[in-house]
């Protein structure tokens, strides 16, 4: 694994072609022999990436069944069966409660497990639809013959040919190339196509021109090369292997749930052991005490919470999917909310991944072009004659053209055949001057010299529009300084003027300025060839140039950039105000990276890097105190030499960081660095180069449209619209669900106390059991469910995007304050409400509280059929049991009544309900639903047999009302105190 | 949480420590950074130094973390620096305990108040709801899962006869003679009277089963007396003429003798007015003597007794003791 983290060990780029041939026992002309090829294929295996070890479905299912929260329920279920086994072994007629409880717990775990399993299976199905299953072909030369074979059969040493539009089938050492350009964006993140030639231009194999990489695309031209690596040994393969080998940590929510389980188990064991000891002291037998112990521990298990949490997360995942965030792993829903650092890739995530003309310089003025996706930006003055000339040059000296059949699409969405900058020019001209095709038809091309790296220009000769004008128009574009050298005049306001020093300086300034913006600048010039020298029909020879290519007239500059997406600056701003540090990590050049970073606000206005300060103060970089610079741009090669401490120092002390020219391994190191500092890191990216970082991140966010399969597999979340702004939605939803889960848990846990206390009093003071197992289950899995889930729909109390991300060490999902409130305060009031109705029913039936204490032994004795009440009446076992079950029902209904107040107070943690309002319709529905369910369970005929629940007298519904009211008033006062005294005692002790 | 800056943080325990170490680390890193950028000539030396410092640091860190781990446990229980016990200072514990004391005190008061109000609404003579005891249950004495005894062994059935004697204590003629004679076959209704009279039920009415002449209640002869009593229910007035009828669950009938004759439960003993106003009330009982013969010995007899001749329910599916009772008897010699 560590080996994979190191940089690529390719050395072939430094070897001569002959050496490479020797190494791979191949021939530069003939290629491999078929026998050798077969031998190598056998030795190295097929040229394909080993798919990441897919977890078998049953393992995934088991993970759902036994992961996280389920463990708690399983332990509960096992304890129940154990208790039942003890009872069955020692008693003749064991009560079935423990058995039923065990079965129900098991059922709950299995059902929720299935639910979340299918939920995840659904999103992985969407994932699979992304996969591109078209088999790749490769053109290889074997024994001197060109053969088309399946890319999987390519072996090291094969001589292969690629042409524009092909996917490169393996890592190849280029031996010859003709205008070959490759798009390495999926590997390096660099959006510009790069030319490929046989010469070694850089020590770094990733930078050198003579190596083309597996699964990158050849954009144009042709090349021939020798395969040096295949399959998993390719650069891409190494990254993929690195990615699938990375261990990912637990999601923050999983950690929170673990912490929660610790707390709950702690409370359960504490209560259980305390009452175990008490039971022993009170004279119960060991076995009875053990059964009580188990009973108390199990009663602490919130049966419904697993389902509630799962449903809440699912609801949020659905809501996010609607907003174009597809969540692969349910637990990742919350992770974005806890995120404190986002490492974002540039190309395609922050930018549109489309070269666009951004600026133009003509008439000695820089004009800004509209780069927005929907052309909503400001436009420039198009009336100038110079502009018309510039547009004409750009349109004519341009080989790009729209692919056919796209007339109905908006211009910017159309597909273009041609390289990125020509496409940008084409679109720009098409947008501002109308159809380029018409223009080209009017100005027929007579000759053309395509761009090459020695000339650094491209020119073409055209007839003019005016049929009476027989002169030829020569148009040229290329590297600005080269163009300038060929010009003697410059077009200003439509008039040709001599190029003087002043204009040259103006040109230099403009060129520097545009270059400084990270833009690619092209110069344009033209000339009308004199008719006397070049009459109509003149034969232009482009190989042996027989016409004038200097003393031209400079027209202007146009600069292009892959512009940021419109929504990104806003989104970055939102992230920043939400306390999230946005780091740009890109494979692109530092200047471009910095320009985009400034454009989208990753480096905010007014913040300088060390280099900026040095430039401003005119002192060497080494004299600048690094602390003064909040922003910094770090080059990948510098990153390589940094020690861990230096890395930490950079991450800690700079708020605005851009990493440029980073390799996939370095991206991984950056993510690890952030995590080491305690940050919860989100990584966005689309390329294969991002995938190790995506996997290592706490949450990896891949791009759904432009993203590569490897990156999507490594990610936890997929942005279906490739828009960084969707992340903000994700953060917002994540934070909201964290808050709302707290509320849900507070609500659900509260009813634990009125569920446990009856059993405790039953043991301690020997009263008839006030609340039975069945009724407890009816609360946990019945009436409490919808209100608890409805809290997931609760609106945020304040602007959650204005606060800092939570500190994973301090801000816990469930903390002691929540337990204190839920168990110690609200739960206690609820228990009293329940007990009150219990005592009311018994008293009204003749059993006053005074006779109840100690009555349990006779009460539960089946053979005692003449138990006397306070009035002297005598009761059979069955008669008093009906009263007891009526009490259970009433206790149950009372819990429903007090839970009304509980759900209303749980809506908010700080605000008053009157501030928050009752706008949550699901919650209102939940209130009615739980009441209706309680009424149904109590009054439906047959319930006395099925669940042993009995109809209540209407007045018994009102017993718990005062307590419900008390809960509401108490909590409103508590929240009022929290708001009045921020940081005060009440907040410190009760704000959860 | 936004805590106001004026307030001193009462829990400064574990937090400052990492900050200190952080600063140290920063200071150590700083010079390295500068030096690293200065020149390449000295790089080799620097690297050596770096490695050394690294090793040292790592060792330090390990030791520190070990110490911290030990400390954190001890500190949690008692932190001598801050005086925290279990994560709270004494005053913090005091405050929270005081809060819960006051809170639970208030809750207790509120609970007592509601209970008191509720108890005030109750009638002290008649319970508010009687729908669950509309029909009385039947009970047998002696109380046992199976009445099984050896008739020739006194100690064997002593417990049973003791129970019967105890039950009939209140029916002793000496006590019952103080009670009133009531109209046979009519309810003794006395709703208005403040002090309710009690109808006489003399033990001697049970004759052979009274335990007076035969203190063994027939157990010694192998013809045991079983006493069946009907549960007291306030205000119950059975219609018709209720009587107890017992049947044995076997093919041939068993001879039984009822006391009072025909197992009648006379209407004059109804209604009952409750413990408070009717303290000396005795409910009517019926004794059944099972005239078992030698052939019946050592065989378990299952006998079911029911209230018949009235509107009292005796056939409830659920409640096997409502207006009926089943018991088993096994006599051996």
């Amino acid at each position: 694994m560590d080996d994979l983290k190191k940089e690529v060990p390719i050395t072939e780029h430094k070897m001569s072609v002959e050496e490479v041939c020797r190494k791979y026992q191949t021939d530069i002309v003939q290629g491999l022999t078929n026998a050798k090829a077969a031998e190598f294929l056998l030795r190295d295996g097929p040229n394909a990436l080993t798919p990441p070890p897919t977890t078998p479905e049953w393992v995934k299912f088991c993970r759902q069944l036994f992961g996280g929260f389920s463990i708690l329920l399983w332990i509960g279920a096992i304890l129940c069966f154990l208790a039942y086994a003890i009872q069955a072994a020692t008693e003749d007629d064991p009560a079935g409660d423990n058995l039923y409880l065990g079965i129900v717990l098991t059922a709950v775990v299995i059902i929720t497990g299935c639910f979340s399993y299918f939920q995840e299976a659904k999103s992985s199905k969407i994932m699979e639809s992304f996969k591109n299953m078209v088999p790749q072909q490769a053109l290889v030369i074997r024994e001197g013959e060109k053969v088309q074979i399946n890319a999987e059969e390519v072996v090291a040493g094969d001589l292969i040919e690629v042409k524009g539009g092909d996917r490169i089938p393996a890592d190849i050492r280029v031996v010859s190339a003709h205008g070959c350009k490759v798009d390495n964006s999926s590997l390096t993140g660099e959006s510009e196509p790069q030319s490929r030639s046989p010469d070694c231009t850089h020590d770094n194999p990733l930078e050198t021109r003579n190596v083309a990489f597996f699964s990158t695309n050849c954009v144009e031209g042709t090349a021939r090369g020798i395969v040096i690596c295949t399959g998993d040994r390719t650069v891409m393969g190494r990254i993929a292997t690195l990615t699938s080998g990375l261990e990912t940590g637990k999601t923050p929510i999983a950690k929170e749930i673990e912490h929660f389980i610790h707390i709950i188990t702690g409370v359960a064991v504490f209560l259980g052991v305390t009452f175990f000891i008490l039971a022993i002291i009170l004279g119960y037998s060991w076995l009875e005490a053990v059964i009580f112990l188990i009973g108390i521990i199990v009663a602490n298990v919130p049966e419904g919470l697993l389902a509630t949490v799962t449903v809440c997360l699912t609801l949020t995942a659905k809501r996010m999917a609607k907003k174009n965030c597809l969540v692969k792993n349910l637990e990742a829903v919350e992770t974005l909310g806890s995120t404190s650092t986002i490492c974002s890739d540039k190309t395609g995530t922050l930018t549109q991944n489309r070269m666009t003309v951004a600026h133009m310089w003509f008439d000695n003025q820089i004009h800004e072009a509209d780069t927005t996706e929907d052309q909503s930006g400001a436009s420039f003055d198009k009336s100038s004659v110079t502009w018309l000339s510039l547009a004409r040059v750009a349109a004519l000296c341009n080989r790009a053209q729209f692919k056919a059949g796209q007339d109905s699409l908006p211009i910017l969405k159309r597909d273009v055949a041609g390289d990125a900058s020509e496409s940008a020019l084409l679109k720009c001209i098409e947008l501002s001057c109308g159809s380029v095709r018409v223009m080209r038809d009017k100005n027929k091309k007579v000759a053309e010299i395509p761009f090459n790296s020695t000339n650094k220009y491209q020119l073409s000769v055209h007839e003019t529009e005016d049929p009476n004008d027989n002169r030829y128009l020569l148009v040229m574009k290329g590297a600005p300084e080269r163009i300038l050298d060929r010009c003697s005049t410059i077009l200003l306001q439509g008039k040709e003027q001599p190029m003087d020093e002043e204009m040259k300086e103006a040109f230099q300034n403009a060129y520097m300025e545009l270059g400084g913006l990270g833009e690619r600048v092209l110069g344009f010039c033209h000339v009308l060839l004199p008719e006397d020298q070049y009459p109509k029909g003149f034969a232009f020879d482009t190989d042996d140039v027989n016409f004038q290519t200097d003393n031209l007239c400079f027209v202007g500059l146009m600069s292009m950039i892959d512009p940021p997406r419109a929504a990104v600056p806003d989104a970055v701003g939102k992230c920043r105000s939400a306390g999230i540090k946005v780091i740009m990590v890109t494979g692109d050049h530092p200047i471009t990276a910095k320009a985009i970073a400034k454009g989208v606000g990753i480096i905010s206005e007014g913040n300088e890097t060390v280099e900026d300060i040095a430039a401003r103060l005119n002192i060497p970089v080494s004299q600048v105190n690094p602390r003064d610079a909040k922003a910094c741009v770090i080059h990948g090669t510098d990153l390589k030499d940094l020690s861990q401490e230096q890395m930490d120092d950079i991450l800690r002390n700079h708020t605005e960081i851009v990493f440029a020219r980073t390799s996939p391994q370095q991206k991984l190191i950056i993510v690890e660095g952030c995590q080491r500092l305690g940050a919860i890191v989100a990584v966005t990216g689309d390329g294969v180069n991002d995938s190790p970082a995506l996997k290592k991140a706490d949450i990896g966010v891949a791009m759904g449209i432009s993203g590569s399969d490897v990156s999507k597999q490594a990610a936890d979340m997929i942005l279906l619209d490739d828009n960084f702004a969707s992340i903000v939605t994700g953060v917002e939803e994540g934070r909201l669900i964290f808050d709302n889960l707290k509320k849900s848990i507070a609500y659900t846990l509260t009813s634990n106390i009125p569920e446990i206390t009856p059993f405790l009093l039953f043991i301690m003071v020997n009263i008839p059991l006030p609340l039975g197992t069945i009724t407890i289950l009816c609360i946990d899995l019945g009436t409490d469910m919808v209100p608890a889930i409805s809290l997931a729909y609760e609106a945020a109390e304040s602007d959650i995007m204005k606060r800092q991300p939570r500190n994973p060490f301090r801000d816990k999902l469930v903390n002691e304050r929540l337990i204190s409130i839920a168990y110690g305060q609200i739960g206690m009031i609820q228990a009293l409400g329940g007990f009150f109705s219990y005592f009311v029913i018994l008293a009204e039936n003749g059993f006053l509280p005074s006779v109840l204490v100690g009555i349990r032994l006779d009460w539960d004795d089946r053979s005692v059929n003449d138990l006397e009440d306070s009035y002297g009446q005598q009761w059979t076992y069955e008669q008093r049991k009906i009263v007891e079950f009526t009490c259970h029902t009433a206790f149950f209904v009372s819990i429903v009544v007090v839970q009304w107040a509980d759900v209303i107070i749980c809506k908010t943690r700080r605000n008053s309900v009157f501030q928050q309002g009752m706008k949550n319709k699901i919650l209102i529905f939940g209130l009615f639903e739980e009441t209706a369910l309680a009424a149904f369970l109590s009054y439906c005929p047959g319930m006395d047999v099925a669940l042993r629940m009995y109809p209540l007298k209407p007045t018994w519904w009102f017993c718990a009302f005062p307590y419900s009211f008390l809960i509401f008033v108490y909590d409103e006062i508590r929240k009022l105190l929290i708001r009045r005294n921020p940081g005060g005692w009440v907040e410190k002790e009760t704000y959860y | 949480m936004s805590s106001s800056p004026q307030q001193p943080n009462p829990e400064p325990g574990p937090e400052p420590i990492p900050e200190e170490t952080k600063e140290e680390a920063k200071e150590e890193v700083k010079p390295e950074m500068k030096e690293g950028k200065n020149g390449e000539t000295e790089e080799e030396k620097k690297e050596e130094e770096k490695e050394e410092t690294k090793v040292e640091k790592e060792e330090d860190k390990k030791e520190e973390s070990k110490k911290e781990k030990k400390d954190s446990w001890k500190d949690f229980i008692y932190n001598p620096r801050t005086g925290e016990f279990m994560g709270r200072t004494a005053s913090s514990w005091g405050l929270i305990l005081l809060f819960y004391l006051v809170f639970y005190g208030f809750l207790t008061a509120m609970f007592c108040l509601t209970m008191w109000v509720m108890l005030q609404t109750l009638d002290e003579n008649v319970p508010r709801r009687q729908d669950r005891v509309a029909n009385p249950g039947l009970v047998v004495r002696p109380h046992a899962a199976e009445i099984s005894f050896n008739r020739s062994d006194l100690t064997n059935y002593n417990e049973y006869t003791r129970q019967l004697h105890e039950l009939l204590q209140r029916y002793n003629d000496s006590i019952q003679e103080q009670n009133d004679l009531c109209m046979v076959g009519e309810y003794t209704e006395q709703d208005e009277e403040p002090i309710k009279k009690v109808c006489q039920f003399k033990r001697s009415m049970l004759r052979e089963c009274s335990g007076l002449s035969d203190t063994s209640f027939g157990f010694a002869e192998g013809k045991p007396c079983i006493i069946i009593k009907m549960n007291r229910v306030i205000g119950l007035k059975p219609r018709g003429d209720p009587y107890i009828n017992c049947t044995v669950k076997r093919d041939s009938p068993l001879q039984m003798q009822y006391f009072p004759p025909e197992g009648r439960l006379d209407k004059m003993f109804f209604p009952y007015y409750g413990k408070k106003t009717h303290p000396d009330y005795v409910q009517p009982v019926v004794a059944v003597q099972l005239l078992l013969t030698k052939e019946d010995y050592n065989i378990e007899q299952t006998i079911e007794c029911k209230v018949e001749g009235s509107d009292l329910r005796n056939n409830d599916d659920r409640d096997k003791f409502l207006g009926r009772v089943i018991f088993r008897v096994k006599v051996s010699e």
Side-chain angles (χ1 to χ4, degrees), chain A residues 93 186 291 335 463 644 715 765 907:
Chain A
D93 185 18
S186 74
I291 288 169
T335 315
E463 291 169 3
Q644 205 173 42
V765 293
K907 273 165 68 73

Side-chain angles (χ1 to χ4, degrees), chain A residues 110-146:
Chain A
I110 292 176
I111 291 169
T112 1
C114 291
F115 180 77
S116 40
Y117 171 74
F118 285 118
Q119 205 59 40
E120 291 212 356
K122 233 196 261 169
S123 35
S124 57
K125 248 185 214 161
I126 302 178
M127 280 294 303
E128 267 162 33
S129 67
F130 286 128
K131 277 188 190 158
N132 181 7
M133 285 314 207
V134 185
Q136 294 287 318
Q137 295 284 310
L139 189 67
V140 302
I141 300 164
R142 284 185 184 167
E143 299 186 349
E145 277 178 49
K146 286 188 184 178

Side-chain angles (χ1 to χ4, degrees), chain A residues 380-586:
Chain A
F380 55 95
D381 175 27
K382 287 174 184 165
S383 57
S384 167
V385 188
T386 321
W387 161 242
L388 289 177
S389 303
L390 183 61
R392 189 173 61 185
V393 178
L396 297 181
C397 187
N398 190 334
R399 297 170 67 184
Q401 53 189 357
F402 290 110
K403 289 181 181 166
Q406 303 188 87
D407 293 340
S408 55
L409 287 174
I411 291 164
L412 286 174
K413 294 256 166 76
R414 294 188 200 164
D415 267 346
V416 180
D419 88 3
S421 33
E422 294 208 325
S423 316
L425 292 173
L426 176 71
K427 284 181 180 171
C428 174
I429 306 300
E430 181 95 7
L431 271 174
S432 51
C433 303
S435 174
V436 171
R437 187 143 41 105
V438 172
M439 205 190 291
R440 286 182 188 164
D441 287 346
K442 280 185 191 162
N443 300 277
K444 252 182 77 187
K445 193 189 286 179
V446 264
E448 180 176 39
I449 301 178
F451 184 87
N452 69 47
S453 46
T454 40
N455 286 345
K456 300 216 165 176
Y457 67 76
Q458 171 184 1
L459 73 76
S460 54
V461 182
H462 297 260
E463 291 169 3
T464 52
E465 286 175 359
D466 186 357
N468 302 324
D469 190 348
N470 285 334
R471 289 178 298 174
Y472 287 105
L473 173 70
L474 184 145
V475 288
M476 184 192 270
K477 78 157 191 261
E481 65 277 9
R482 295 295 182 94
I483 298 292
L484 189 74
D485 290 346
R486 293 173 183 277
C487 293
S488 55
T489 56
I490 182 165
L491 201 65
L492 287 174
Q493 271 84 32
K495 291 189 189 86
E496 242 182 284
Q497 284 173 14
M499 177 73 82
D500 50 18
E501 282 307 310
E502 198 185 327
M503 277 325 293
K504 275 191 181 166
E505 203 180 315
F507 160 86
Q508 276 302 339
N509 289 340
Y511 183 28
M512 289 296 287
E513 187 175 345
L514 295 179
L517 291 173
E519 298 177 2
R520 191 195 310 174
V521 191
L522 287 176
F524 296 84
C525 62
H526 70 184
V527 76
L528 278 168
L529 297 172
E531 199 177 357
D532 48 340
Q533 284 178 41
Y534 306 97
K536 204 167 169 67
F538 181 84
F540 291 95
D541 186 348
T542 52
D543 292 329
D544 184 14
V545 180
N546 61 350
F547 50 89
Q548 169 192 2
T549 57
D550 45 14
N551 285 328
L552 309 176
C553 172
F554 191 86
V555 183
L557 295 171
M558 284 173 103
S559 67
M560 280 146 288
I561 198 164
D562 178 11
R565 289 166 180 275
V568 170
D570 191 37
V572 171
K574 274 186 183 160
C575 285
R576 184 150 295 146
S577 66
I580 301 171
K581 190 166 163 181
V582 184
I583 296 177
M584 183 195 274
V585 182
T586 176

Side-chain angles (χ1 to χ4, degrees), chain A residues 627 645-646 649 652 810 817 820 824-825 828-829 832 835-836 839-840 843-846 848-849 863-866 868-876 878-879 882-883 886 944-945 948 950-951 953 955-956 962-963 966 970 982-983 985 987-989 991, chain B residues 1-3 7 10 15 26 29-30 32-33 54 57 88 92 95-96 99-100 103-104 106-107 110-111 114-115 118-119 122-133 135 137 139 141 143 229-234 272 274-275 283 318-319 321-322:
Chain A
R627 290 284 184 286
E645 283 81 13
Q646 285 170 317
D649 187 58
R652 202 182 290 129
R810 232 175 299 141
R817 295 183 293 280
S820 166
Q825 295 158 40
M828 286 298 174
I829 305 180
L832 289 185
F835 275 107
F836 179 59
F839 283 122
V840 166
E844 288 195 354
N845 276 290
L848 296 181
S863 65
V864 175
N865 280 294
D866 55 350
E868 210 174 297
D869 67 15
S870 309
Y871 290 87
Q873 300 190 101
Q874 290 168 320
W875 295 70
T876 66
E878 200 60 36
Q879 282 171 333
I882 290 178
V883 173
T886 312
D944 52 343
V945 185
R948 300 237 66 177
Y950 287 86
K953 304 279 180 246
T955 48
W956 292 340
Y963 294 90
L966 175 66
Y970 171 74
W985 186 83
E987 176 167 328
K988 252 184 282 164
E989 293 293 350
Y991 181 68
Chain B
M1 269 197 283
S2 58
S3 53
Q7 251 178 339
E15 279 177 343
K26 279 179 204 168
V29 173
K30 251 196 213 169
E32 277 176 16
M33 286 269 286
K54 257 187 201 173
K57 258 186 216 169
R88 284 174 183 278
S92 169
L95 265 176
I96 194 80
F99 165 75
Y100 272 109
F103 182 72
Y104 288 146
F106 170 76
L107 285 189
M110 165 144 180
F111 186 70
T114 49
M115 286 296 284
M118 182 268 293
L119 291 176
L122 295 180
D123 187 318
E124 53 182 339
N125 297 321
V126 188
R128 177 169 295 161
R129 317 237 175 239
Q130 285 190 285
D131 45 346
R132 295 298 176 202
V133 278
N135 291 290
V139 185
R141 287 289 180 277
H143 179 120
K229 68 186 182 98
M230 193 161 80
N231 280 350
R232 291 193 294 259
V233 173
I234 293 172
Y272 171 52
K275 199 163 148 185
Q283 71 226 75
R318 260 314 200 14
D319 195 345
F321 292 91
L322 211 58

Side-chain angles (χ1 to χ4, degrees), chain A residues 248-266:
Chain A
T248 49
K250 281 187 188 129
T251 58
I253 195 79
K255 283 182 199 155
E256 291 304 320
I257 285 176
E258 203 169 83
H259 180 245
F260 169 55
I261 290 175
H262 286 163
I263 290 189
I264 283 288
T265 321

Side-chain angles (χ1 to χ4, degrees), chain A residues 930-963:
Chain A
E930 68 171 329
T931 315
L933 182 61
F936 172 81
L937 287 174
S938 168
Y939 295 113
C940 177
M943 278 301 166
D944 52 343
V945 185
L947 296 178
R948 300 237 66 177
M949 294 178 88
Y950 287 86
L952 297 184
K953 304 279 180 246
T955 48
W956 292 340
W957 281 76
F958 296 97
C959 295
F961 272 53
Y963 294 90

